[in-house]
Amino acid sequence: MLFRQLQYLVAVAREEHFGRAALRCNVSQPSLSSGIKQLELRLQVPIVLRGRRFLGFTNEGKQIIEWAERVLSQHDAMMAELSKMRGSLEGRVRLGAMPNSSPIIPLLSRLLRKNHPDVEIDIHFMGIEETIIGLQKYTIDVGVTYLQSELLSGLKSLLIYDERLSLLVPDTEEYEGISSITWKEAASLPLSLLSGSTHERKIVDDAFAEAGEKPKSYVTSDSIMNLIYHVMFAGLVTVIPQNFLLMSGKFSGVRAIKLVEPEVSQQVGLVWSSTEPIMPMARAMVSIIKELKASGKLEEHWG
Amino acid sequence: MLFRQLQYLVAVAREEHFGRAALRCNVSQPSLSSGIKQLELRLQVPIVLRGRRFLGFTNEGKQIIEWAERVLSQHDAMMAELSKMRGSLEGRVRLGAMPNSSPIIPLLSRLLRKNHPDVEIDIHFMGIEETIIGLQKYTIDVGVTYLQSELLSGLKSLLIYDERLSLLVPDTEEYEGISSITWKEAASLPLSLLSGSTHERKIVDDAFAEAGEKPKSYVTSDSIMNLIYHVMFAGLVTVIPQNFLLMSGKFSGVRAIKLVEPEVSQQVGLVWSSTEPIMPMARAMVSIIKELKASGKLEEHWG
DNA sequence: ATGCGTGATAGATAACACCTATGAAATTAT
DNA sequence: ATAATTTCATAGGTGTTATCTATCACGCAT
């Protein structure tokens, strides 16, 4: 049962703990232990660094894990294909999404649940580069990211929506009646922005740069939710994707103002590996996006 | 032991015969039979059409085979990676090559044997489209084809050499002293050309078209060797890649003449899947090509 | 009919994947 | 220091199963 052993191995890699890994695999801890040992015996190479507890993997082990994940990914895809042939798609979609796409993910999962009630969905938020690596290494099935990246060669993609940037401000008299604002003007306001060197932050910086500004950010955070809270409770303003606010009035005490000169627009879409045949989970997600776009639910979602 | 069962399945698919498949897998025929049956049981789906002999596969079976090949491809890659870690690369390279590249393949296999004596090589000649499909379906590890095809997106490639076309003529006084000839002139000679709608034939047709000619082919064959024989024994002329003849005097009674106006040149290179990490067999072939190009053996090979 | 090829079936055996119970070493708490 | 806890390995037993050899059943050709 080599497949099982590979599953044990990746479980140990994820949990870094034999007991929890066994739990995740629904076997007893000794079974998992001996499974790993059998694997090392058959592959003729030590994999786990063992002192009286889990100490990590050997270099060979790390490589084996990468391959094991690929093997299992294909295995799971085969099983999914089979379940579909038998009637209903079963299994798990591993979705890698950029945080900016967070508000629309529920639309996807809702449709997924409707069309394929037996499919679970694992959502992991990650950066664009990480998403692409995940697709290449088969640790995720599909990604949701910006499409215009150069990194997407060798991958297939499908547009979901255009992301527009807005300025989020407190709903006070200071900003009353303002329906649009230029980046230049915004630069002089008390800003809180996303941190780091992410693609998302770069878009904002580029837009300011195009308006000849290089504003400093009073508060820097890696969480959009946290930025919104800063607008609510600290009187700062921030730049967020429109879709975070356009679902009518889910946040109170804040308002979104259109940012112009320039009007920044980014394509957000589904990305998946261009293998042939297409992995069944990826295909399922693609048809869901198509259904979503055709149904008009997207526009409805954000008014 | 699902892996074994998948191997049984693809063996049956290849051999279309249970006994030979068992032989190939080094197990007895009943073992293989029950292995297949176990697989059908576990996957809950009939795979093989059974009357008192092998009658083909069900539709589900055909799909399962595709996935099985992908799974096993990753499995074999993992095993190869492991053997490399343990000292020497072991396994089998599945090479898909276009027939035109036939003369240089021995150079590759010779270097492969030198660098990796434990690696076997399976050479299958096939068309460009077939090669690309094979790479996508993981039925081959690397391909040798023309590089300028549009179909190569999502694949990695490395130039091996430039293919030039020559006119092959009988070594008689009729063609004595002629060292180059135009496509226009060649069009009026008794031609024998490759058949079909292959990429290789299209290049020849395009060259003639560029010279304003659309010659008819007295003899049409899908074998370059056969075309050469027609030049030798039927007094016809043909268009062949230079490299078929430039290895000094392996064919007697024929001569190659340079074809000009236009001078046709096609890049021939190694192609492989752009997965990450790169499959070990593909990596081995890549480094062999690099070594070959650096060593100057290629130029030496054809004078 | 007779013989041959092909795959399924029967019965026996050895391997092994799994379990529970327990042990040994290291870390943490008292 | 001593005890408790955590963590993984080991021991022994059990049921499953992958494999083998030997044989059978069916189709097909001579």
Side-chain angles (χ1 to χ4, degrees):
Chain A
M1 315 272 168
L2 215 67
F3 273 114
R4 215 38 168 320
Q5 294 167 353
L6 293 183
Q7 286 167 346
Y8 293 169
L9 182 59
V10 302
V12 171
R14 287 234 199 298
E15 301 287 350
E16 307 202 324
H17 188 288
F18 277 61
R20 284 198 297 275
L23 218 58
R24 175 195 274 254
C25 295
N26 297 313
V27 293
S28 70
Q29 171 265 318
S31 296
L32 185 133
S33 273
S34 89
I36 300 281
K37 183 167 284 184
Q38 285 300 317
L39 196 61
E40 288 179 312
L41 209 76
R42 185 162 314 189
L43 301 186
Q44 309 246 43
V45 78
I47 296 175
V48 178
L49 294 171
R50 333 165 113 79
R52 278 288 148 206
R53 61 201 299 106
F54 176 81
L55 294 176
F57 296 98
T58 62
N59 290 329
E60 293 93 337
K62 288 174 192 161
Q63 292 195 57
I64 291 171
I65 289 166
E66 294 222 337
W67 286 105
E69 274 175 343
R70 297 179 60 116
V71 173
L72 290 177
S73 168
Q74 302 292 338
H75 172 266
D76 294 347
M78 187 177 85
M79 289 317 210
E81 193 80 58
L82 263 163
S83 71
K84 215 175 59 179
M85 291 190 240
R86 283 199 305 266
S88 86
L89 188 63
E90 293 172 28
R92 160 174 282 135
V93 186
R94 297 163 302 172
L95 170 74
M98 60 172 190
N100 273 6
S101 67
S102 178
I104 64 108
I105 303 294
L107 293 185
L108 307 189
S109 63
R110 201 177 61 189
L111 257 183
L112 180 69
R113 186 169 184 75
K114 198 192 90 194
N115 292 357
H116 306 290
D118 298 327
V119 174
E120 303 168 43
I121 181 165
D122 261 11
I123 301 162
H124 291 275
F125 289 101
M126 49 180 75
I128 297 180
E129 296 81 4
E130 209 182 335
T131 303
I132 288 164
I133 290 172
L135 288 172
Q136 288 173 337
K137 289 194 190 300
Y138 293 93
T139 54
I140 60 175
D141 299 303
V142 290
V144 174
T145 69
Y146 293 126
L147 292 185
Q148 56 268 59
S149 169
E150 328 65 43
L151 307 163
L152 295 180
S153 76
L155 298 176
K156 296 222 177 202
S157 65
L158 176 64
L159 174 70
I160 303 178
Y161 66 98
D162 277 295
E163 177 194 275
R164 301 284 305 277
L165 292 183
S166 294
L167 189 73
L168 189 73
V169 300
D171 193 11
T172 60
E173 59 273 13
E174 185 178 356
Y175 299 100
E176 210 172 319
I178 304 177
S179 67
S180 82
I181 189 172
T182 65
W183 287 88
K184 199 174 217 11
E185 292 166 343
S188 62
L189 298 175
L191 282 163
S192 58
L193 295 178
L194 280 175
S195 57
S197 51
T198 62
H199 194 86
E200 291 88 331
R201 169 63 184 267
K202 190 168 174 302
I203 291 168
V204 174
D205 286 343
D206 288 351
F208 276 120
E210 204 174 320
E213 297 287 344
K214 194 170 192 288
K216 88 167 210 276
S217 172
Y218 291 88
V219 171
T220 291
S221 171
D222 61 357
S223 155
I224 291 188
M225 263 322 293
N226 192 246
L227 290 178
I228 294 177
Y229 289 145
H230 274 90
V231 177
M232 288 177 173
F233 305 122
L236 300 177
V237 306
T238 189
V239 177
I240 61 166
Q242 255 179 334
N243 55 354
F244 265 85
L245 261 283
L246 287 185
M247 356 168 231
S248 46
K250 290 291 194 269
F251 299 93
S252 55
V254 294
R255 269 184 55 227
I257 302 179
K258 198 174 172 188
L259 269 167
V260 296
E261 300 176 30
E263 290 197 31
V264 176
S265 166
Q266 297 272 320
Q267 294 190 322
V268 175
L270 190 78
V271 187
W272 67 97
S273 178
S274 65
T275 53
E276 190 63 30
I278 181 174
M279 309 268 274
M281 290 303 172
R283 179 164 45 204
M285 291 306 294
V286 168
S287 66
I288 277 171
I289 302 297
K290 285 180 179 165
E291 182 179 338
L292 186 65
K293 286 168 71 177
S295 71
K297 281 267 170 47
L298 258 173
E299 289 74 13
E300 184 184 315
H301 184 57
W302 47 57
Chain B
M1 317 269 169
L2 215 65
F3 273 114
R4 221 26 172 331
Q5 293 168 354
L6 293 183
Q7 287 167 346
Y8 292 169
L9 182 60
V10 301
V12 170
R14 287 234 199 298
E15 301 286 351
E16 307 202 321
H17 187 288
F18 276 61
R20 284 198 297 275
L23 217 59
R24 177 195 272 252
C25 294
N26 296 313
V27 293
S28 69
Q29 172 264 318
S31 296
L32 186 133
S33 273
S34 91
I36 300 282
K37 183 167 285 185
Q38 284 301 315
L39 195 62
E40 289 179 313
L41 210 78
R42 184 161 316 190
L43 300 186
Q44 309 247 44
V45 79
I47 297 174
V48 179
L49 293 172
R50 334 166 115 77
R52 276 292 149 201
R53 61 200 296 108
F54 176 81
L55 293 176
F57 296 98
T58 63
N59 290 328
E60 292 93 338
K62 287 173 193 162
Q63 290 194 59
I64 292 172
I65 290 167
E66 294 222 339
W67 285 103
E69 273 174 343
R70 297 179 61 116
V71 173
L72 290 177
S73 168
Q74 302 292 338
H75 173 266
D76 293 347
M78 186 177 86
M79 290 317 212
E81 194 79 57
L82 264 163
S83 70
K84 214 175 62 179
M85 291 189 240
R86 283 199 305 266
S88 87
L89 188 63
E90 293 171 29
R92 159 176 285 130
V93 186
R94 297 163 302 171
L95 171 73
M98 61 171 189
N100 273 6
S101 68
S102 179
I104 64 109
I105 303 295
L107 294 184
L108 307 189
S109 62
R110 201 175 63 189
L111 256 183
L112 180 69
R113 186 170 183 73
K114 199 192 90 194
N115 292 359
H116 305 290
D118 297 327
V119 174
E120 303 167 43
I121 182 166
D122 261 12
I123 301 162
H124 291 275
F125 289 102
M126 49 180 75
I128 297 179
E129 295 82 3
E130 208 181 338
T131 303
I132 289 165
I133 290 172
L135 287 172
Q136 288 173 336
K137 289 194 189 300
Y138 293 94
T139 53
I140 60 174
D141 299 303
V142 290
V144 175
T145 69
Y146 293 127
L147 292 185
Q148 55 268 57
S149 169
E150 327 67 41
L151 307 164
L152 295 179
S153 77
L155 299 175
K156 296 223 176 200
S157 65
L158 176 63
L159 174 70
I160 304 178
Y161 67 98
D162 278 295
E163 177 195 274
R164 300 283 306 278
L165 292 182
S166 295
L167 189 72
L168 190 72
V169 300
D171 194 11
T172 60
E173 59 274 10
E174 184 179 355
Y175 299 99
E176 212 172 319
I178 304 178
S179 68
S180 83
I181 188 172
T182 65
W183 287 86
K184 199 174 213 19
E185 292 165 344
S188 62
L189 298 175
L191 281 163
S192 59
L193 295 177
L194 279 175
S195 58
S197 51
T198 62
H199 195 86
E200 291 90 328
R201 169 62 185 268
K202 189 168 175 304
I203 292 166
V204 174
D205 286 343
D206 287 352
F208 275 121
E210 202 173 324
E213 298 287 344
K214 193 168 192 287
K216 87 165 212 277
S217 173
Y218 291 87
V219 172
T220 291
S221 170
D222 63 356
S223 155
I224 291 189
M225 264 321 293
N226 191 247
L227 290 178
I228 295 177
Y229 290 144
H230 274 90
V231 176
M232 287 178 174
F233 306 123
L236 300 175
V237 306
T238 189
V239 177
I240 62 166
Q242 258 181 333
N243 56 353
F244 265 85
L245 261 283
L246 286 184
M247 358 169 229
S248 46
K250 289 291 193 270
F251 298 93
S252 54
V254 296
R255 270 183 56 226
I257 301 179
K258 197 174 171 187
L259 269 166
V260 296
E261 299 175 31
E263 292 199 29
V264 176
S265 167
Q266 298 271 318
Q267 293 190 324
V268 175
L270 191 77
V271 187
W272 67 97
S273 177
S274 65
T275 53
E276 189 64 31
I278 181 174
M279 309 267 274
M281 290 303 172
R283 179 164 44 205
M285 290 307 294
V286 168
S287 66
I288 278 172
I289 302 297
K290 284 181 179 165
E291 182 179 337
L292 185 65
K293 285 169 72 177
S295 71
K297 281 266 168 47
L298 257 174
E299 289 74 12
E300 185 185 316
H301 183 56
W302 48 56

